[in-house]
């Protein structure tokens, strides 16, 4: 493959998302092993902080598409911009974060460039100059290995799985401006954020999730208290989303969000396969459940068998004391 790797850098609310830095870090790791170069593509408003951060994490070049019409995400014009950069740079591979935006964008870029796409990758390796990807299949029941038949290899990367490089703020990084036809059949008129936790679930390092074991909507406050005390994001099983206790944006699982935090605390969640599909790649899983036979204990690193109404407040008090002593 050409040893130029293009990464898509996602900016939302003026902030570069962490999965974009994971993509550029992974691209750097592969490029270093193949004497390659890394080009990151930033679409939307000009953003100096994002450009610097991409350079510090390993981009040799950042291409900014900054036309006013691109300030809000639009599938059509963003795909056109990224595809244009892929072609002008003669890229052999494209790495895109597996976020809501990345999931929408990647297939369009694959169509426009003729590249093959492997989505939700959890590891990438080089074999004879070509990428080989691994991804979880059938709700994480097994891991498949994929190669590409196409010349251009496109992959979306599961957030929080790929390590960040140590930033080097003085790394040389060329910044180029580019333009693309931003006209699109669909136009974004207004962007309104939906109700959700304060922290973005898919990118969170710590997640505290609650399930039907909470017994009533008002008890979700226990999850909020523990999540806030630990500085984490809040999640939920589908059972309590379906019951209307919290919004769908909190749902973790097969039909919710896929998360890979460093720490996942499951409170009163049984561990149905559909829930595990969204969180089983978490680094450390703590389960609190009164039923010692609950399936969640099969994948938990630490299990607490007991009543969450006693355990969660005790953990919250400990977490508050721990963080207060560090402040
Ligand atoms: P339950 O299974 O009812 O478990 C509650 C747990 O709380 C039990 O293990 C119980 O022992 C424990 N408990 C009760 N009281 C206490 C207490 N006082 N202290 C401690 N523990 C206590 N589910 C998802 O989560 N995400 C998805 O994306 C998803 N997608 C789905 C897609 C499809 C097509 C289908 C069919 C299902 C999907 N589901 C999903 C639903 C899934 O199958 C389960 O029904 C759901 O995950 C169960 O949620 P729960 O663990 O909160 O509830």
């Amino acid at each position: 493959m050409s040893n130029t790797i293009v990464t898509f850098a996602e900016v939302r609310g003026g902030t570069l998302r962490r999965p974009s830095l994971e993509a550029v870090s992974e691209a750097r790791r592969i490029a270093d092993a193949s004497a390659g170069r890394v080009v990151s593509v930033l679409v939307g408003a000009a953003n100096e902080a994002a450009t610097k951060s991409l350079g510090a994490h390993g981009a040799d070049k950042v291409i900014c598409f900054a036309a006013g019409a691109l300030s809000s995400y639009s599938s059509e014009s963003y795909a056109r911009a990224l595809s244009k950069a892929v072609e002008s740079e003669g890229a052999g591979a494209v790495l895109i974060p597996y976020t809501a935006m990345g999931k929408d964008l990647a297939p369009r870029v694959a169509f426009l460039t003729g590249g093959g796409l492997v989505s939700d990758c959890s590891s990438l390796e080089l074999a004879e100059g070509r990428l080989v990807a691994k991804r979880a299949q059938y709700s994480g029941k097994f891991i498949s290995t994929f190669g590409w038949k196409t010349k251009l290899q496109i992959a979306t990367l599961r957030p929080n799985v790929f390590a960040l490089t140590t930033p080097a703020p003085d790394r040389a990084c060329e910044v180029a401006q580019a333009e693309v036809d931003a006209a699109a059949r669909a136009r974004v008129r207004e962007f309104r954020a939906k109700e959700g936790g304060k922290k973005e679930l898919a990118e969170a390092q710590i997640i505290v999730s609650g399930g039907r074991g909470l017994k009533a909507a008002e008890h979700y406050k226990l999850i909020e208290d523990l999540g806030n005390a630990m500085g984490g994001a809040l999640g939920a099983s589908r059972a309590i989303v379906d019951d209307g206790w919290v919004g769908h944006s909190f749902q973790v699982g097969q039909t919710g969000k896929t998360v890979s935090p460093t720490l996942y605390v499951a409170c009163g969640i049984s561990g149905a396969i559909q829930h595990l599909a969204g969180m089983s790649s978490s680094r450390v899983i703590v389960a609190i459940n009164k039923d010692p036979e609950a399936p969640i204990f099969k994948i938990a690193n630490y299990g607490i068998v007991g009543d969450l109404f006693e355990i969660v407040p005790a953990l919250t008090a400990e977490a508050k004391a721990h963080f207060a002593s560090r402040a």
Side-chain angles (χ1 to χ4, degrees):
M1 74 175 190
S2 144
N3 50 11
T4 295
I5 304 171
V6 164
T7 76
F8 175 68
E10 178 177 336
V11 172
R12 255 189 298 144
T15 308
L16 185 66
R17 313 309 296 189
R18 183 188 155 100
S20 310
L21 293 177
E22 291 167 3
V24 78
S25 298
E26 181 62 9
R28 184 73 265 154
R29 189 186 68 80
I30 298 163
D32 284 346
S34 57
R37 58 195 278 275
V38 177
V39 179
S40 292
V41 175
L42 199 59
V43 189
N47 188 323
E48 205 187 324
T51 311
K52 281 197 173 142
S53 191
L54 289 164
H57 282 86
D60 298 302
K61 179 177 178 182
V62 177
I63 302 179
C64 305
F65 288 88
L70 296 168
S71 59
S72 286
Y73 177 70
S74 138
S75 319
E76 226 179 314
S77 38
Y78 272 49
R80 222 180 282 142
L82 183 54
S83 304
K84 187 175 174 183
V86 168
E87 276 159 15
S88 67
E89 294 296 319
V94 186
L95 306 187
I96 300 172
Y98 188 64
T99 55
M101 194 187 285
K103 284 180 207 177
D104 182 64
L105 184 65
R108 293 168 193 273
V109 173
F111 174 76
L112 290 175
T113 57
L117 168 65
V118 180
S119 62
D120 193 17
C121 298
S122 52
S123 98
L124 291 173
E125 289 304 331
L126 272 175
E128 294 169 10
R130 300 268 297 162
L131 290 178
V132 175
K134 285 196 173 22
R135 59 165 288 184
Q137 297 253 248
Y138 296 103
S139 303
K141 282 200 167 147
F142 61 88
I143 306 287
S144 298
T145 304
F146 287 85
W148 281 254
K149 284 184 178 168
T150 52
K151 200 167 145 204
L152 178 62
Q153 301 183 277
I154 306 176
T156 52
L157 309 190
R158 181 176 284 207
N160 278 345
V161 171
F162 293 86
L164 293 183
T165 49
T166 308
D170 298 329
R171 263 188 100 258
C173 175
E174 177 192 350
V175 178
Q177 304 296 327
E179 285 179 12
V180 72
D181 174 11
R185 281 167 296 180
R187 191 157 58 88
V188 178
R189 284 177 175 273
E190 189 187 4
F191 179 80
R192 262 192 253 164
K194 260 184 94 178
E195 167 230 8
K198 286 189 193 120
K199 294 204 169 179
E200 179 57 46
L201 253 188
E203 297 169 25
Q205 295 295 307
I206 298 176
I207 296 175
V208 180
S209 269
R212 193 144 47 195
L214 288 166
K215 299 197 167 52
E218 60 269 26
H219 298 149
Y220 192 77
K221 170 101 179 46
L222 293 173
I223 304 300
E224 289 171 354
D225 290 346
L226 180 57
N228 293 339
M230 296 175 82
L234 309 178
S237 72
R238 174 164 162 179
I240 72 166
V241 171
D242 285 352
D243 284 350
W245 299 0
V246 292
H248 182 260
S249 58
F250 288 75
Q251 186 179 318
V252 172
Q254 188 183 315
T255 44
K257 289 192 174 139
T258 304
V259 299
S260 297
T262 312
L263 174 64
Y264 188 88
V265 186
C267 310
I269 292 177
S270 58
I273 185 74
Q274 296 89 353
H275 188 80
L276 304 188
M279 46 64 76
S280 58
S281 60
S282 305
R283 210 155 298 159
V284 175
I285 297 169
V286 176
I288 303 163
N289 198 303
K290 68 176 188 184
D291 174 7
E293 301 300 323
I296 190 81
F297 287 128
K298 292 207 174 95
I299 64 151
N301 302 86
Y302 299 95
I304 306 174
V305 179
D307 185 352
L308 71 85
F309 291 97
E310 290 168 18
I311 294 160
V312 174
L315 281 178
T316 304
E318 280 295 324
K320 279 185 182 161
H322 176 75
F323 288 108
S325 69
R326 287 179 145 205

